[in-house]
């Protein structure tokens, strides 16, 4: 009996030793924790499944090495997280894969199919759309094509048909039901306010902006929409040939790139984008451009900014500029909620930045004083107004 017990313990010990060796083997020779795919055109990321990871690693080892170089315009980024450190691979528009040392590999057919499927999964799961130039959007969404428009904030969606437009898309809702959904998005009344939208067509999701006012001619009978409305994409233009900042801010929002598009902007541009966001009711976007000192200042600014129905900059002069500060004398015309007529505001607005390449921010105290002040300010001579 004693001999049998010793044998059992010996067998148990051998099994335990083999299990320990297997764990050590997996730790040393299979160090990958997870692989993530992120997009450069579409913000967001997905984690590959175990089967997708195995296929990716297998096909990467079979891919053909074709030289060395630098990826100039990465479309996708593969992040391979290991127990110690991380490896990154950049993928360009031609599906060439660049590792951190500059080696370039040409993926085989199976790897290209996997990358295409993963990119589509990324697009489907992302809250944002692709920010593509009008020249490309014009081809993806040609005249007479149908697309689904999804409002970015409410996520309500309706169908449209593009009827015309050279520098942007002139579209109409397909049916009366689609018109009703669009009017619901605008709170039951038509408006020129811009809204961030996603245009879904041909398996793609494009960042765009729309206004909510029927105007001009309409050609779809029975849709209860008296005219058409406009959809703008990145760098599209109005009928007058001008890129409309109100639409562009909404495109940046729909693409998740508002911070990226304003990070390196000069003070005057920051100010233009800020007041544009406030005018369009996008206080959350405007707040990203403010430097606020405390909770009380934030509360006071939030209260007055949310009451603004519309805002126009009628005058602007730079009075003082330095590497860390920029001061403007600004004239505003403001329409407040539930208050008829317009208010005039005039005063100095300070923009500041910390050292290095930090983005410019609007000083909250100077903004609050400007929005509340009813005093007239002496405009300095010799500086041209740029209203």
């Amino acid at each position: 009996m004693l001999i049998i017990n010793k044998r059992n313990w010996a067998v148990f010990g051998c099994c335990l030793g083999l299990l320990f060796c297997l764990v050590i083997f997996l730790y040393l020779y299979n160090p990958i924790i997870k692989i993530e795919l992120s997009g450069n055109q579409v913000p967001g990321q997905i984690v590959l499944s175990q089967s997708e990871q195995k296929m990716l690693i297998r096909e990467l080892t079979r891919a053909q090495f074709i030289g060395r170089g630098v990826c100039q315009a990465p479309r996708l980024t593969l992040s391979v997280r290991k127990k110690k450190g991380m490896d990154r691979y950049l993928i360009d528009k031609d599906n060439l894969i660049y590792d951190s040392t500059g080696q370039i590999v040409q993926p085989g057919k199976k790897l290209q199919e996997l990358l295409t499927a993963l990119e589509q999964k990324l697009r489907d799961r992302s809250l944002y759309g692709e920010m593509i130039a009008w020249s490309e959007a014009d081809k993806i969404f040609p005249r007479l094509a149908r697309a689904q428009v999804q409002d970015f904030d409410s996520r309500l969606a309706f169908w449209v048909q593009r009827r015309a437009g050279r520098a942007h898309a002139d579209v109409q809702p397909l049916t009366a039901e689609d018109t009703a959904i669009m009017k619901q998005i605008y709170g039951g009344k038509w408006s020129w306010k811009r809204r961030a939208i996603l245009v879904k067509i041909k398996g793609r999701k494009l960042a765009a902006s729309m206004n909510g006012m029927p105007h001009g001619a309409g050609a779809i009978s029975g849709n209860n929409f008296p005219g058409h409305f406009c959809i703008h994409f990145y760098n599209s233009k109005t009928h007058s040939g001008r890129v409309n900042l109100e639409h562009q801010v909404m495109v940046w929002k729909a693409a998740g790139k508002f911070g990226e598009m304003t990070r390196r902007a000069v003070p005057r541009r920051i100010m233009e984008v800020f007041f544009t966001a406030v005018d369009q009711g996008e206080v959350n976007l405007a707040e990203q451009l403010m430097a606020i000192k405390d909770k009380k200042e934030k509360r006071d600014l939030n209260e007055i900014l949310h009451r603004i129905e519309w805002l126009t900059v009628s005058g602007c002069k730079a009075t003082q500029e330095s590497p860390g500060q920029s001061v403007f004398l600004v004239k505003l015309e403001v329409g407040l909620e539930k208050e008829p007529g317009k208010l005039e505001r005039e005063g100095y607005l300070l923009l500041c930045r910390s050292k290095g390449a930090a983005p410019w921010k609007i000083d909250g105290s100077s903004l609050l004083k400007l929005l509340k002040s009813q005093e007239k300010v002496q405009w300095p001579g010799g500086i041209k107004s740029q209203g």
Side-chain angles (χ1 to χ4, degrees):
M1 190 71 179
L2 184 61
I3 296 175
I4 294 175
N5 284 338
K6 287 182 177 179
R7 287 178 178 175
N8 287 342
W9 277 109
V11 172
F12 178 77
C14 288
C15 292
L16 190 63
L18 288 172
L19 181 61
F20 179 77
C21 291
L22 179 61
V23 171
I24 295 298
F25 175 83
L26 291 174
Y27 181 85
L28 293 175
Y29 295 97
N30 187 26
I32 295 175
I33 299 175
K34 64 179 178 179
I35 301 178
E36 299 172 327
L37 180 73
S38 56
N40 293 66
Q41 290 182 323
V42 180
Q45 63 182 28
I46 57 172
V47 178
L48 276 63
S49 66
Q50 289 295 322
S51 60
E52 290 168 341
Q53 289 189 29
K54 289 178 181 178
M55 182 177 178
L56 177 71
I57 296 300
R58 183 178 69 246
E59 295 303 321
L60 271 176
T61 60
R62 297 176 179 176
Q64 181 183 1
F65 170 72
I66 60 174
R68 290 182 174 275
V70 177
C71 186
Q72 299 294 338
R75 187 178 94 256
L76 300 167
T77 300
L78 275 170
S79 301
V80 181
R81 297 182 180 274
K82 300 181 178 180
K83 288 182 173 66
K84 292 184 178 181
M86 179 191 299
D87 292 334
R88 280 195 174 88
Y89 299 87
L90 301 179
I91 305 170
D92 68 10
K93 61 181 179 62
D94 298 316
N95 270 343
L96 295 179
I97 303 173
Y98 300 72
D99 69 10
S100 57
T101 66
Q103 290 192 101
I104 309 173
V105 295
Q106 173 71 61
K109 182 179 178 181
K110 288 186 177 180
L111 183 52
Q112 291 204 36
E113 291 175 350
L114 175 63
L115 292 174
T116 300
L118 291 174
E119 185 176 12
Q120 187 59 50
K121 183 191 290 189
L122 176 66
R123 295 179 192 277
D124 292 341
R125 294 187 181 181
S126 176
L127 295 174
Y128 302 100
E130 299 175 66
M131 193 168 81
I132 62 173
W134 165 244
S135 57
E136 185 179 355
D138 186 28
K139 298 173 184 176
I140 298 172
F141 188 24
R143 294 184 184 185
L144 302 184
R146 298 181 178 187
Q148 187 183 52
V149 170
Q150 184 177 46
D151 181 59
F152 184 84
D153 291 319
S154 69
R155 310 315 276 189
L156 292 172
F158 61 98
W159 285 87
V160 300
Q161 183 182 46
R162 181 182 172 190
R163 303 294 301 189
R166 292 184 179 181
H168 61 264
D170 289 335
V171 305
Q172 300 170 49
L174 278 181
T175 67
E177 289 77 15
D178 293 309
T179 297
I181 294 172
M182 181 181 176
K183 197 166 188 177
Q184 181 183 351
I185 290 170
Y186 275 93
K189 57 182 180 180
W190 299 124
S191 169
W192 285 107
K193 292 279 189 183
R194 280 63 163 170
R195 291 187 69 93
I197 59 172
L198 304 172
V199 176
K200 298 181 178 181
I201 184 171
K202 298 178 182 177
R204 300 181 71 171
K205 192 163 51 178
L206 311 181
S209 169
M210 71 175 180
N211 58 47
M213 181 61 71
H215 60 280
I220 300 179
S221 61
N223 68 350
N224 291 344
F225 195 84
H228 65 267
F229 69 97
C230 302
I231 290 181
H232 281 248
F233 297 85
Y234 180 54
N235 280 347
S236 59
K237 298 178 180 179
T238 63
H239 293 295
S240 62
R242 182 177 65 90
V243 175
N244 182 267
L245 183 58
E246 289 91 340
H247 276 303
Q248 293 307 300
V249 168
M250 296 300 106
V251 173
W252 304 344
K253 175 183 175 178
K257 292 182 177 291
F258 181 81
E260 178 182 329
M261 299 304 291
T262 57
R263 190 172 297 121
R264 297 179 181 177
V266 298
R268 186 178 292 274
R269 184 64 168 178
I270 290 292
M271 192 169 52
E272 291 173 351
V273 173
F274 174 82
F275 286 126
T276 295
V278 173
D279 177 55
Q280 296 301 308
E282 293 287 345
V283 176
N284 290 337
L285 292 182
E287 285 180 343
Q288 297 180 36
L289 304 178
M290 295 191 297
I292 302 174
K293 66 179 181 181
D294 54 38
K295 291 182 179 180
K296 183 181 183 304
E297 185 173 273
K298 181 177 181 179
R299 185 173 59 250
D300 292 344
L301 279 167
N302 196 274
E303 180 182 352
I304 192 169
L305 290 176
H306 273 98
R307 291 184 60 216
I308 294 177
E309 288 284 336
W310 59 268
L311 181 150
T312 300
V313 180
S314 57
C316 175
K317 295 180 180 180
T319 62
Q320 178 185 333
E321 295 192 72
S322 65
Q325 288 190 346
S326 189
V327 181
F328 291 87
L329 181 55
V330 181
K331 285 184 178 180
L332 303 176
E333 294 178 2
V334 181
L336 292 182
E337 180 185 18
K338 299 178 181 178
E339 290 190 22
K342 67 179 180 181
L343 303 175
E344 292 187 353
R345 294 291 183 259
E346 190 172 335
Y348 291 94
L349 191 62
L350 170 66
L351 282 86
C352 53
R353 70 188 303 184
S354 56
K355 294 181 180 179
W360 286 92
K361 299 277 188 178
I362 293 175
D363 175 70
S365 299
S366 66
L367 176 64
L368 194 59
K369 185 177 179 181
L370 170 65
L371 293 175
K372 288 185 172 182
S373 175
Q374 300 184 41
E375 297 179 2
K376 294 293 182 180
V377 179
Q378 182 64 42
W379 283 61
I383 302 177
K384 186 179 179 181
S385 173
Q386 296 185 14

